Amino acid sequence: IATSRTSMPAAGAAAQEQALSASAPVGFMGAMKKSWPVLVAAGLLMFAVGWLVKPQAEVEAPLRKVLLQFPEMQSIGFPDISDGGRWISFVGADTAGASGIYLYEMATANMLRVPGSEQYGYAQFSPNGRNLLLAGWSNNGAATMVVPNGVPNQVTSDGTWHLWETDETVVYTGFDDGPVIYRVALGGGEPEMIARADTTVAWAAQPYVDGQLPGGKLLGGMQAPNATRHLVAILDPDSGEWTMGEEGVANASYAGRGYVTYQVGNDFGKLVVRPIDTKTGAFTGSPREVLPAMRWGGYNVGTDGSLVYIPQIVNADGESQLFSLVLEPARLSNLSPSTSDETLRPSVSPTANEIALEIAPARGGDQFIAVYDLDRGVLMQRTFSGVRRYPRWSPDGEWLYYHSDESEIYRRRADGSGGEELVLEDAVMPDVSPDGRWLAAARTADGGTDLIAVEMATGRTIVVDSSGGNQLFPDFSPSGRHIAYRTFSSGEQRIAVRPLEGTGYWIVSDLTGEQPRWSPDERYIYFRSTAQSGGVFRIAVETSAGFRTVGEPERIASTYGDADFDVARDGRSLIIAGAGVSLQAGAQTAATLGWWQNWVQSLPDAEGS
């Protein structure tokens, strides 16, 4: 049953809903018509006897399906619903461009934006629905607030994948000589480490927790560093021990009544529901499909039998494809080379007929650098030993620069001739200035990375930003006078600009952002952001006298999952590597939310398994 907020408030829509029921077979109904007097008499007798011998069972609420539309929102993502269905939260942007965490009250259809929430990527209600957890990505911490008008209070300044453990504690994945699970109390105090990653599965290096199971154990999982492989796991927070479960299970959530939901295979798999033994983590039945292929963050499951989701269409295998996005007039096309491997980190050559890529082999193995020839449609491998990532062209197109997992920057001739040359140690993410004189990079430092520039001929080093935190993704302006980069400090991830030499520091936008790229005419800075459900944005800038931004960021494309990109040398198009891309106008359809209430109650009772 679909309703629209444009026609009636959600409360009115809920009052007019009808229970969904399955139709009985025609043959059975014909038999019922012929024998109904006898059946009615027998039924009345059985009802009377049953009434006398045992108490009446509580009547379960019916399954209800509602579509909510939010015409004042241009995009939404990462929905959540409070226990009992009073509040819905999501991250998004309204039609005026204001982004952040939004709260929607079902009974009144009132919408409000949480002030100061634009830095967060998602929100989650506490089990009792009284508090909201505001969390972000890329190790930038979390805060909590009282619903609906509280002030966000920082509870941790780092970590990722935060969620409620109880009404008073939050758990998250942090880092202490490797990924670990922490617990932090709302009342304050230092975070407590409760578990490390399980080492029995070599590839499962990144642990995370998705929710609490009956009895106090935590339902979670393990994933490979590139998120291509997942398995379900149960964590005993008292002992720190993991019980490893089935592979191919991503983002498992407890749905109540002995059931879990999960995505099949990866963050873009279809959503299924399956009975589970909540003590051992073993599945006790077959999966049933709930929703077709979804991207992680496009749905949320509550333990009260509720489900909220954003109707969408994504690439079910979740692997990055290569897209060309022509800007004016807007036109999108698929450039993916004929390979089953994942294509990442595109870098367009100065001649614009080749694209350097980081390739993640589908069957495992080290990432390597390859060049995709657009004219011939051929993908040519360029590195052959060790992990090699993040390719960038020299301005003359002769060399490819890239880094290793040992934080070393190398270069090799783009045509594949000659050997690999070590350029710089203790550094990653290279970029070469337009005149070929300077190499910008992120240099490893205590607790983070500094932004540096090295004069190639002399080795002279300029420290551009050593303010603490992580300074990554440097990109020289076409004039070579400025460097745009991603700065992360004090829980904020922003795009910043500094001059190569001299003083000055500018934050480009309040939006979260990373991977900045200048337009060839130096009129825009493009960047990737998780704001407004994720996408590629650009902001107009002026650099003739110092630096300043002009206006607000505009969305160029919506992206599904992580999406790397580069700007073509003519400035007329972008090359995007991601699981899915849509034009800005397509994002308007995201402002629709499906709500299923009591759907788990329609399944057989699996509790106690």
Side-chain angles (χ1 to χ4, degrees):
I1 297 175
T3 62
S4 168
R5 190 177 166 213
T6 58
S7 58
M8 66 179 72
Q16 297 188 38
E17 293 179 51
Q18 299 177 356
L20 303 180
S21 60
S23 298
V26 174
F28 178 76
M29 293 301 293
M32 285 286 289
K33 291 178 182 178
K34 294 178 181 177
S35 57
W36 70 269
V38 176
L39 291 174
V40 168
L44 289 172
L45 178 60
M46 291 173 65
F47 174 78
V49 172
W51 182 273
L52 293 173
V53 299
K54 75 174 194 175
Q56 289 299 290
E58 182 179 351
V59 178
E60 293 183 341
L63 168 64
R64 298 188 298 174
K65 294 184 178 182
V66 177
L67 280 180
L68 300 173
Q69 294 181 338
F70 306 101
E72 66 270 55
M73 301 297 297
Q74 62 171 286
S75 63
I76 61 176
F78 287 91
D80 192 26
I81 189 165
S82 65
D83 190 27
R86 179 181 177 185
W87 295 96
I88 289 176
S89 70
F90 46 76
V91 61
D94 62 20
T95 52
S99 62
I101 303 297
Y102 286 79
L103 286 170
Y104 176 78
E105 189 172 26
M106 292 290 292
T108 64
N110 288 332
M111 180 95 72
L112 62 92
R113 177 180 171 274
V114 178
S117 62
E118 61 275 0
Q119 63 178 300
Y120 298 107
Y122 68 95
Q124 184 191 49
F125 290 100
S126 61
N128 62 17
R130 298 172 186 167
N131 292 282
L132 193 68
L133 174 69
L134 312 175
W137 311 112
S138 301
N139 201 35
N140 58 354
T144 61
M145 59 168 280
V146 177
V147 177
N149 296 312
V151 176
N153 177 42
Q154 195 82 12
V155 295
T156 174
S157 60
D158 59 4
T160 189
W161 297 325
H162 298 75
L163 82 157
W164 294 97
E165 179 188 23
T166 69
D167 288 319
E168 302 297 331
T169 57
V170 170
V171 293
Y172 63 95
T173 300
F175 301 91
D176 179 15
D177 192 25
V180 296
I181 303 297
Y182 283 107
R183 173 194 290 136
V184 63
L186 267 63
E190 292 296 317
E192 169 196 5
M193 186 183 72
I194 59 176
R196 290 190 174 274
D198 191 285
T199 59
T200 58
V201 180
W203 57 264
Q206 293 184 338
Y208 57 89
V209 175
D210 276 310
Q212 193 173 50
L213 289 169
K217 291 187 177 181
L218 300 175
L219 178 65
M222 301 274 179
Q223 70 175 31
N226 59 4
T228 56
R229 300 176 70 179
H230 296 257
L231 59 78
V232 66
I234 290 180
L235 173 62
D236 185 334
D238 296 326
S239 66
E241 294 182 357
W242 293 91
T243 301
M244 310 298 274
E246 188 172 311
E247 188 175 345
V249 175
N251 312 315
S253 297
Y254 187 64
R257 296 171 62 93
Y259 283 93
V260 297
T261 61
Y262 62 85
Q263 289 181 265
V264 177
N266 54 44
D267 291 339
F268 293 85
K270 65 182 178 181
L271 186 69
V272 300
V273 64
R274 194 171 182 184
I276 193 173
D277 186 321
T278 57
K279 299 181 178 63
T280 67
F283 291 114
T284 58
S286 300
R288 303 183 186 187
E289 182 173 338
V290 179
L291 291 170
M294 302 284 293
R295 63 172 172 140
W296 178 65
Y299 69 94
N300 206 294
V301 177
T303 57
D304 63 345
S306 62
L307 169 69
V308 286
Y309 68 97
I310 300 168
Q312 57 192 275
I313 299 174
V314 302
N315 179 26
D317 60 19
E319 294 179 353
S320 288
Q321 303 176 70
L322 206 57
F323 298 90
S324 171
L325 174 57
V326 176
L327 297 175
E328 294 181 6
R331 186 174 72 255
L332 189 65
S333 59
N334 193 314
L335 294 178
S336 292
S338 56
T339 175
S340 59
D341 296 334
E342 192 169 9
T343 56
L344 308 166
R345 307 289 190 195
S347 180
V348 184
S349 70
T351 57
N353 64 337
E354 293 180 314
I355 302 171
L357 298 163
E358 175 188 324
I359 303 296
R363 297 185 178 181
D366 292 341
Q367 283 98 324
F368 59 88
I369 304 302
V371 171
Y372 181 48
D373 188 316
L374 290 170
D375 296 332
R376 296 187 296 157
V378 177
L379 188 69
M380 300 164 289
Q381 189 168 343
R382 287 291 181 259
T383 65
F384 300 90
S385 63
V387 174
R388 299 294 185 262
R389 292 176 167 167
Y390 200 81
R392 299 286 279 165
W393 294 85
S394 63
D396 59 8
E398 293 292 320
W399 297 90
L400 284 173
Y401 289 77
Y402 45 87
H403 71 246
S404 71
D405 268 7
E406 288 76 34
S407 298
E408 297 170 326
I409 292 176
Y410 293 88
R411 74 174 187 174
R412 189 178 186 186
R413 290 196 176 276
D415 62 6
S417 63
E420 193 175 61
E421 299 180 8
L422 178 63
V423 177
L424 189 64
E425 295 181 322
D426 298 323
V428 295
M429 296 188 172
D431 188 54
V432 183
S433 63
D435 59 6
R437 179 184 172 190
W438 296 92
L439 176 74
R443 182 178 64 187
T444 55
D446 292 340
T449 54
D450 295 339
L451 180 64
I452 63 170
V454 179
E455 192 173 34
M456 303 264 252
T458 66
R460 180 170 69 98
T461 299
I462 297 174
V463 179
V464 181
D465 190 337
S466 60
S467 58
N470 289 284
Q471 327 304 328
L472 300 171
F473 301 101
D475 190 61
F476 276 103
S477 65
S479 65
R481 295 195 305 266
H482 296 89
I483 302 177
Y485 60 102
R486 190 214 78 177
T487 181
F488 175 76
S489 181
S490 303
E492 295 185 348
Q493 179 176 289
R494 299 289 187 267
I495 301 300
V497 172
R498 285 184 184 268
L500 173 62
E501 297 183 275
T503 58
Y505 178 70
W506 303 273
I507 294 295
V508 168
S509 167
D510 289 336
L511 294 182
T512 61
E514 60 183 3
Q515 196 179 328
R517 294 287 184 264
W518 294 83
S519 65
D521 58 10
E522 211 163 301
R523 293 177 54 204
Y524 296 97
I525 293 178
Y526 293 79
F527 61 95
R528 188 180 75 192
S529 178
T530 57
Q532 304 177 23
S533 302
V536 177
F537 295 76
R538 74 177 181 183
I539 187 167
V541 299
E542 289 185 357
T543 60
S544 57
F547 177 89
R548 72 184 185 98
T549 58
V550 182
E552 296 295 323
E554 60 174 322
R555 181 198 293 269
I556 300 301
S558 297
T559 57
Y560 305 132
D562 290 338
D564 307 316
F565 77 97
D566 197 16
V567 182
R569 293 303 190 263
D570 60 6
R572 294 164 54 188
S573 64
L574 306 181
I575 302 298
I576 303 175
V581 180
S582 65
L583 299 177
Q584 182 180 6
Q588 305 296 327
T589 59
T592 300
L593 195 65
W595 174 37
W596 293 6
Q597 191 177 27
N598 309 314
W599 72 279
V600 176
Q601 294 183 3
S602 65
L603 301 171
D605 192 350
E607 197 69 81
S609 58

